[in-house]
């Protein structure tokens, strides 16, 4: 299980889910002033023992792992399975904090190790005066089974887009062979944008992703990287005015690689656990690689690429949205922000021509940067909530 909650905490969003990102990384010496401090142990067939919470609901509980295996520990609702805080990867002999502000209700600690069935601590009844706005929300964990159908549906969508990509690359080859630079550049942008909407599937594409859309290695340019192929080689050739005899073979190779991808993808599989992560990763990659123009090989169509990335992130999010509606209160805000950012950037393109990122005014550039940074923050909880966790119900207990 990856430590996605750390990313949420770093963005200052921990209060929106899972008790401010409780984890095995929290030091047990953290000051618990104003909260009910207590200590419980994990032992063989014992998950925490008894504990109490004060009238204000503020819990400050040190958990020590006396077991011989690394353990994950949840503070959960025994009826719904909603998790209020978690310690992940608590090593034998280690201690860490569980802290949350609880409303009135029933709670228990639930313990999981890699080699044993989960076991549960006693149910604790909490009487709390904490106002609803102060209470830590519980999030029902997403399971592997929850993500199977969304990942299959997303894979089906990708399968439907690959023939579209092939047709656009074929049109690019026709334009290049016909000798019209303007037509070829427009066709390149169109095909490249289609590929850039498929970002949640890149891992499933395997080495073909690098062949189709790889950037030059290290600090090299397209001229210096003799292993470069695909879109960015063609970009460099087209926008540098290279002769048709050089460009046609590069496009032919791209066409061949897309054909191979279509055949390969029939038996490929998008890992269900990956899908909730991808919207956030797509936006992070756009910030890291596109907004600094690291992948621009002469077309200056960065804003087209980012617009396509936003479309890809929206699409990936749409497949996990049904799981998030009862788990992430800011889902609607996130979807609206993605749509607004896509509209904002799409305005910089017209008739296949795009405003270069470097030509934007300082104000407009800051607006673009701010939109993507805000999206990264909004999407970080999606990755955290969608992180697959063990559950008592999944174990049949």
């Amino acid at each position: 299980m990856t430590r996605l909650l750390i990313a949420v905490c770093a963005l200052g969003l921990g209060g929106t889910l899972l008790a401010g990102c409780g984890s095995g990384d929290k030091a047990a010496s953290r000051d618990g002033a104003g909260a009910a401090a207590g200590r419980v142990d994990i032992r063989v067939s014992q998950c925490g023992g008894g504990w109490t919470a004060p009238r204000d609901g503020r819990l400050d509980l040190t958990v020590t792992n006396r077991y011989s295996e690394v353990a994950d520990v949840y503070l959960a609702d025994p009826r719904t399975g909603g998790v209020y805080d978690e310690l992940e990867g608590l090593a034998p002999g280690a201690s860490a904090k569980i802290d949350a502000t609880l409303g009135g209700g029933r709670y228990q600690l639930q313990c999981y190790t890699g080699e044993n069935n989960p076991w549960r601590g006693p149910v604790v009844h909490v009487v709390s005066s904490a106002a609803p706005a102060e209470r830590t929300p519980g999030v029902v964990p997403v399971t592997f089974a929850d993500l199977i159908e969304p990942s299959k549906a997303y894979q089906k969508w990708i399968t439907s887009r690959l023939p579209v990509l092939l047709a656009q690359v074929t049109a690019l080859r026709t334009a290049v062979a016909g000798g019209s630079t303007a037509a070829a550049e427009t066709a390149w942008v169109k095909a490249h944008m289609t590929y850039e909407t498929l970002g949640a599937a890149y891992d499933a594409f395997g080495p073909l992703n690098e062949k189709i859309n790889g950037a030059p290695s290290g600090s090299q340019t397209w001229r210096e990287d003799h292993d470069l192929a695909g879109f960015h080689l063609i970009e460099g050739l087209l926008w540098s005015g290279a002769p048709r005899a050089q460009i046609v073979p590069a496009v032919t190779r791209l066409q061949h690689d897309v054909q191979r991808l279509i055949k390969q993808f029939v038996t490929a599989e998008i890992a269900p656990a990956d899908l909730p992560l991808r919207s956030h990763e797509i936006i992070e990659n756009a910030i890291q690689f596109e907004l600094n123009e690291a992948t621009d090989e002469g077309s200056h169509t960065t804003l087209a690429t980012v617009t396509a990335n936003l479309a890809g992130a929206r699409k990936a999010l749409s497949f996990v949205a049904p799981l998030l509606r009862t788990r992430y209160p800011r889902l609607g805000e996130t979807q609206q922000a993605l749509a607004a950012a896509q509209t904002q950037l799409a305005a910089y393109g017209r008739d296949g021509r795009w405003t270069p990122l470097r030509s934007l005014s300082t104000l407009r550039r800051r607006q673009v940067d701010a939109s993507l940074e805000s999206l990264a923050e909004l999407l970080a909880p999606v990755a955290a909530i969608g992180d697959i966790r063990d559950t008592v119900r999944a174990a049949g207990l």
Side-chain angles (χ1 to χ4, degrees):
M1 198 185 299
T2 55
R3 277 263 33 100
L4 291 170
L5 292 179
I6 293 174
V8 181
C9 285
L11 292 167
L13 297 173
T16 65
L17 79 163
L18 298 185
C21 310
S23 78
D25 302 305
K26 293 188 295 184
S29 60
R30 181 172 160 185
D31 182 11
R39 290 182 174 273
V40 293
D41 292 345
I42 298 172
R43 301 181 186 276
V44 177
S45 300
Q46 175 184 319
C47 182
W51 52 272
T52 60
R55 289 284 305 184
D56 66 3
R58 294 179 58 195
L59 179 66
D60 180 8
L61 188 65
T62 298
V63 179
T64 301
N65 187 358
R66 308 291 184 188
Y67 191 58
S68 59
E69 302 287 342
V70 173
D72 296 333
V73 184
Y74 301 162
L75 173 63
D77 183 321
R79 181 180 62 84
T80 67
V83 176
Y84 296 84
D85 198 5
E86 65 176 344
L87 306 178
E88 184 182 18
L90 188 62
S95 299
K97 292 278 192 180
I98 279 182
D99 55 272
T101 299
L102 305 177
R106 302 164 72 244
Y107 302 87
Q108 71 177 175
L109 297 181
Q110 298 175 351
C111 299
Y112 302 82
T113 65
E115 297 186 6
N116 292 287
N117 288 328
W119 65 98
R120 293 175 282 183
V123 174
V124 175
H125 297 262
V126 173
V127 178
S128 171
S129 61
E134 299 172 345
R135 298 172 190 170
T136 301
V139 178
V140 177
V142 171
T143 67
F144 183 86
D146 291 332
L147 290 168
I148 290 176
E149 289 306 317
S151 64
K152 286 182 177 178
Y154 181 74
Q155 186 155 346
K156 184 177 180 180
W157 179 77
I158 293 289
T159 299
S160 74
R161 298 301 296 164
L162 293 179
V164 175
L165 174 65
L166 178 59
Q168 291 171 342
V169 171
T170 301
L172 169 60
R173 187 181 185 282
T174 300
V176 170
S180 171
T181 300
E185 290 176 352
T186 299
W188 181 92
V189 173
K190 189 174 183 179
H192 187 240
M193 287 185 72
T194 293
Y195 192 81
E196 290 283 351
T197 65
L198 311 179
Y202 288 167
D203 280 358
F205 291 169
L208 281 174
N209 177 52
E210 187 69 19
K211 292 180 182 293
I212 291 171
N213 201 39
S217 177
S219 60
Q220 292 180 312
T221 68
W222 69 271
R223 296 179 187 274
E224 298 161 335
D225 187 348
H226 301 297
D227 294 323
L228 184 67
F231 279 113
H232 291 297
L233 173 61
I234 297 165
E235 177 187 10
L237 291 168
L238 266 178
W239 270 269
S240 68
R244 179 171 39 179
Q246 281 186 262
I247 306 173
V248 169
V251 181
T252 301
R253 180 177 175 184
L254 174 61
Q255 186 179 31
H256 174 67
D257 285 337
V258 173
Q259 289 170 334
R260 287 176 59 200
L261 179 59
I262 291 173
K263 293 179 181 178
Q264 170 188 297
F265 199 68
V266 172
T267 57
E269 180 178 340
I270 295 175
D274 289 347
L275 191 55
L277 315 180
R278 296 309 184 212
S279 292
H280 183 247
E281 287 184 349
I282 289 169
I283 300 303
E284 281 198 323
N285 287 341
I287 293 170
Q288 182 178 357
F289 300 111
E290 305 304 336
L291 292 187
N292 62 10
E293 299 183 289
T295 62
D296 183 3
E297 297 303 321
S299 69
H300 305 319
T301 56
T302 294
L303 291 173
T305 300
V306 178
T307 301
N309 293 157
L310 289 165
R314 284 182 69 188
K315 197 66 181 182
L317 180 63
S318 72
F319 287 93
V320 296
L323 297 175
L324 297 170
R325 289 192 183 108
T326 58
R327 291 176 168 92
Y328 186 34
R330 301 182 73 182
L331 174 62
E333 178 187 349
T334 304
Q335 291 171 317
Q336 291 173 5
L338 273 167
Q342 187 180 349
T343 299
Q344 173 193 4
L345 267 68
Y348 292 111
R350 179 174 295 180
D351 299 327
R353 299 293 172 179
W354 287 79
T355 302
L357 180 64
R358 62 189 64 180
S359 73
L360 296 186
S361 67
T362 300
L363 174 60
R364 291 186 182 277
R365 176 58 192 264
R366 286 176 178 172
Q367 289 173 337
V368 171
D369 292 347
S371 291
L372 268 72
E373 292 289 351
S374 176
L375 282 171
E377 292 187 3
L378 286 168
L379 287 165
V382 172
I385 293 169
D387 188 16
I388 293 175
R389 292 169 171 81
D390 295 319
T391 67
V392 169
R393 289 183 179 180
L397 300 178

